[in-house]
Amino acid sequence: MPSRRSHTKSHHGCRQCKARRVKRQITCSFLDTGSEGFPTPPGNATAYDTSTPKSFDYQLSDAEKTRHGPLPTPKTSSPLTTVQDGPGPEKRFDILDLELIQHYSTRTYMTMSSRLASHAVWRDTIFAEALRHDYLLHALMATAALHKATLQLKSSDAYAEYSRIALAHQNVALAGFIPEVSKPNQENGIAIFSVSLLLTIWAFASKRLPEGLNNVKIDFGRGESSPGVTLPLHSPTGDFIEVIMILRGIYAVIRETNTWLQGDIEELLRYPRSEELPPHSQEVEDAFSTLRAAVDDPQLISLWEGDDRQATKTLFLEHIEQLRDVSRCRSVVEWDGHIFSWLIMAPPSFIHCLKASNPFALVLFAHWAAMFRCMDHHWWANGWGYNLVIDVSSMLDPLLARYMDWPRRQVGLVYQGNGGFDGRRLP
């Protein structure tokens, strides 16, 4: 598919294009684009395009209005619009929809996972499924729009427009997805599973985009109760707990759709074998030894007070060992996404400790966050690990400072020597 830039150059004053517009009585957006074209491809980190998408006046088709009902959303539309050409109606794609589909099919699909074997699944298997389920197609276009937004200068009009169109596609996708998620079957199992994975991307990426995109909050109704949340509101850690709950909801969806996840899609469910992951370095082993010692530190006895003292200590010791095992994946790029499994598989009791700001749970979480930096090469995850370690450091009592030494060194924080941390990186 030719780029908009090349089409623009070849259509200034193009009689053929003008004749086609007269015949169909439609506007050719190429003639309105200008000579600057659209975004600079990834790989040129110093060059940005600040032009604004021209074709985002996005209206729902009659068919979609009937299917989804009225939506309290910004102006949105189906990827198909009806235009007249001669005696009967003709269907065509909106040019911006085509742009997003092209971007997803050539670039975005490769950013979903580091595993080369999964790229074809995201590009072919899931896209083919999207042709059968409109809400999945909108979800793919929303993800492509989010991706394109991150390639723009944040001060540019194009950044704001791609962010806005991402929200529009999210709204349409969720309107179709939410009724389906409660009734998984052979027909919709793969589509539900795919959108559930994309929700993770949205949840992570939306924290880095305008506030309007922070609406991806789905109650999967799996009965995970929680105590009062004492984490600071709108803190990185508090926001991340919301992402954790989305991840855990997705795991519940996977369990319910597992029967129908067969064939190529199964590649996304693969976990590494133990022999595929290298052992930790001595430095990392020492960090885990320090964590184990913290459980019996007499200065931290107040963390274990109450009737469940021994049960809580046992919970943390078990979770330390699970993190030690899972975190070996950060040494192998194709398995870096496996780092999520530590939180996805965690028992509700540990998640509750995090929500309640249990200091030792936060220390353990900070170790995971430092290891999560292995995902920084993904546009939707970049920066999370660094911000989480800073945030947890600011919440902890100085008594726990020495147990934060390893994670803060991993992200380059400077320790002030007085129990305080700041956000500067080491030179």
Side-chain angles (χ1 to χ4, degrees):
M1 172 175 170
S3 68
R4 174 171 291 203
R5 187 185 299 271
S6 62
H7 191 109
T8 300
K9 290 181 179 179
S10 63
H11 279 71
H12 281 298
C14 173
R15 293 188 181 90
Q16 182 180 358
C17 185
K18 186 180 297 183
R20 186 183 305 115
R21 290 187 293 123
V22 170
K23 178 182 178 182
R24 297 191 176 208
Q25 298 181 335
I26 58 176
T27 300
C28 177
S29 60
F30 292 117
L31 294 179
D32 301 324
T33 304
S35 60
E36 292 304 314
F38 252 76
T40 302
N44 187 353
T46 60
Y48 293 86
D49 180 83
T50 56
S51 60
T52 305
K54 301 295 185 184
S55 50
F56 182 68
D57 186 15
Y58 205 70
Q59 300 287 339
L60 277 173
S61 66
D62 291 339
E64 285 202 336
K65 289 176 183 175
T66 302
R67 184 185 308 118
H68 299 308
L71 294 173
T73 66
K75 279 187 172 184
T76 57
S77 86
S78 159
L80 292 174
T81 25
T82 304
V83 297
Q84 281 299 126
D85 185 10
E90 177 187 337
K91 289 286 188 179
R92 75 174 178 89
F93 277 95
D94 179 274
I95 193 64
L96 188 51
D97 292 335
L98 286 175
E99 178 191 331
L100 294 177
I101 290 171
Q102 190 266 353
H103 188 78
Y104 175 82
S105 300
T106 58
R107 296 185 185 174
T108 303
Y109 79 90
M110 291 185 287
T111 69
M112 300 292 97
S113 168
S114 299
R115 293 199 64 234
L116 292 178
S118 72
H119 289 177
V121 178
W122 281 106
R123 184 193 63 203
D124 302 332
T125 307
I126 291 180
F127 188 80
E129 198 69 19
L131 299 180
R132 301 174 56 242
H133 300 275
D134 285 354
Y135 60 87
L136 176 53
L137 184 59
H138 280 286
L140 296 183
M141 288 192 285
T143 307
L146 283 175
H147 187 203
K148 295 207 77 165
T150 65
L151 301 177
Q152 317 302 317
L153 286 172
K154 288 192 175 182
S155 59
S156 68
D157 290 340
Y159 177 90
E161 281 297 286
Y162 281 123
S163 300
R164 187 164 65 99
I165 198 171
L167 178 59
H169 279 296
Q170 283 182 3
N171 287 334
V172 179
L174 293 176
F177 170 73
I178 293 173
E180 294 282 297
V181 77
S182 62
K183 49 182 180 182
N185 53 58
Q186 187 171 3
E187 173 65 19
N188 64 16
I190 293 177
I192 290 174
F193 169 70
S194 301
V195 175
S196 298
L197 294 181
L198 292 171
L199 282 174
T200 304
I201 307 299
W202 301 352
F204 276 99
S206 64
K207 303 303 179 184
R208 303 174 58 81
L209 292 171
E211 285 297 317
L213 294 183
N214 291 344
N215 297 326
V216 185
K217 297 178 182 178
I218 303 263
D219 179 7
F220 286 92
R222 299 304 186 265
E224 266 206 340
S225 60
S226 62
V229 178
T230 61
L231 292 169
L233 289 176
H234 306 304
S235 66
T237 305
D239 287 342
F240 197 83
I241 296 302
E242 293 185 16
V243 178
I244 290 174
M245 301 316 294
I246 292 175
L247 286 170
R248 293 170 72 79
I250 288 169
Y251 179 61
V253 170
I254 291 174
R255 290 199 307 268
E256 293 203 4
T257 59
N258 188 59
T259 303
W260 303 288
L261 299 181
Q262 299 178 8
D264 294 340
I265 198 72
E266 290 181 281
E267 188 61 42
L268 301 186
L269 301 175
R270 273 201 64 199
Y271 283 87
R273 296 188 298 273
S274 181
E275 57 269 24
E276 293 180 281
L277 302 177
H280 286 303
S281 66
Q282 188 58 50
E283 177 198 16
V284 176
E285 290 291 356
D286 290 344
F288 280 107
S289 295
T290 300
L291 279 175
R292 293 187 203 97
V295 174
D296 294 315
D297 187 337
Q299 289 186 298
L300 306 180
I301 191 68
S302 61
L303 300 182
W304 320 115
E305 291 178 350
D307 295 336
D308 297 329
R309 175 180 174 182
Q310 189 56 47
T312 305
K313 291 176 69 172
T314 300
L315 169 69
F316 286 135
L317 284 171
E318 290 176 350
H319 226 46
I320 289 171
E321 291 309 309
Q322 289 169 7
L323 181 58
R324 177 177 174 271
D325 183 54
V326 167
S327 60
R328 288 192 295 147
C329 71
R330 74 192 188 108
S331 299
V332 183
V333 172
E334 72 165 329
W335 291 116
D336 56 12
H338 185 50
I339 195 74
F340 285 114
S341 64
W342 185 72
L343 289 169
I344 294 174
M345 306 295 189
S349 53
F350 181 76
I351 301 300
H352 297 168
C353 287
L354 274 178
K355 288 183 174 184
S357 302
N358 178 282
F360 194 77
L362 289 173
V363 168
L364 192 49
F365 174 67
H367 280 69
W368 178 88
M371 294 171 177
F372 185 57
R373 292 197 70 200
C374 69
M375 296 289 288
D376 269 358
H377 62 102
H378 293 283
W379 60 270
W380 44 271
N382 182 266
W384 269 105
Y386 176 66
N387 291 330
L388 288 171
V389 174
I390 290 177
D391 193 47
V392 171
S393 298
S394 70
M395 288 189 277
L396 293 175
D397 188 282
L399 282 174
L400 286 158
R402 63 193 179 103
Y403 296 113
M404 286 291 293
D405 182 63
W406 186 84
R408 68 175 175 77
R409 280 190 286 110
Q410 292 301 298
V411 301
L413 287 178
V414 177
Y415 181 54
Q416 301 286 52
N418 59 359
F421 296 82
D422 68 20
R424 292 180 295 139
R425 289 183 182 272
L426 292 170

